[in-house]
Amino acid sequence: MSERFTTYPNDLSGANNTSPRAPDMAHKMADAASSTVDRMASGAHEAVDKMADVAAQAAETLDVKGEQLKDLQVRWLENSRAYVRDNPVKALGIALVGGFLLSRLLSSR
């Protein structure tokens, strides 16, 4: 058995109808439902587009901030190397004191 489904009911003139206006009413209800579904789908598409734009902007911002952090790391590393090269005794003293303090903090726990 094969049934045919359509948006609009084609055969509403059967013996079960109580009103001759039932087919028109059914068509109007189908039209109203169709336009409501279209509006909802359009709203959903707009919401998805807005979220995609926000996500793209966030990704771009994170990319820029990541590059800035990499540049900052490179500059600090270069400055640290220059300081150690110019002041080796001070750098060694700072390293010893820092290591001692760090070992005291970690061993007290």
Side-chain angles (χ1 to χ4, degrees), residues 4-58:
R4 194 174 86 188
F5 295 100
T6 62
T7 306
Y8 300 108
N10 288 330
D11 186 20
L12 292 177
S13 61
N16 293 336
N17 288 340
T18 59
S19 171
R21 293 184 296 165
D24 291 335
M25 177 100 63
H27 285 289
K28 287 179 184 177
M29 289 174 62
D31 286 339
S34 176
S35 66
T36 301
V37 169
D38 288 343
R39 280 195 314 265
M40 289 174 64
S42 176
H45 285 292
E46 289 175 12
V48 168
D49 289 343
K50 286 179 184 177
M51 291 303 293
D53 289 342
V54 168
Q57 289 174 353

Side-chain angles (χ1 to χ4, degrees), residues 3 5 11 24 31-32 36 59-60 65 70 76 78 82 86 92-93 105-106 108:
E3 294 183 27
F5 295 100
D11 186 20
D24 291 335
D31 286 339
T36 301
E60 185 176 326
K65 292 296 180 185
K70 285 179 186 177
W76 280 12
E78 289 172 359
D86 295 341
L92 183 61
L105 285 173
L106 293 176
S108 68

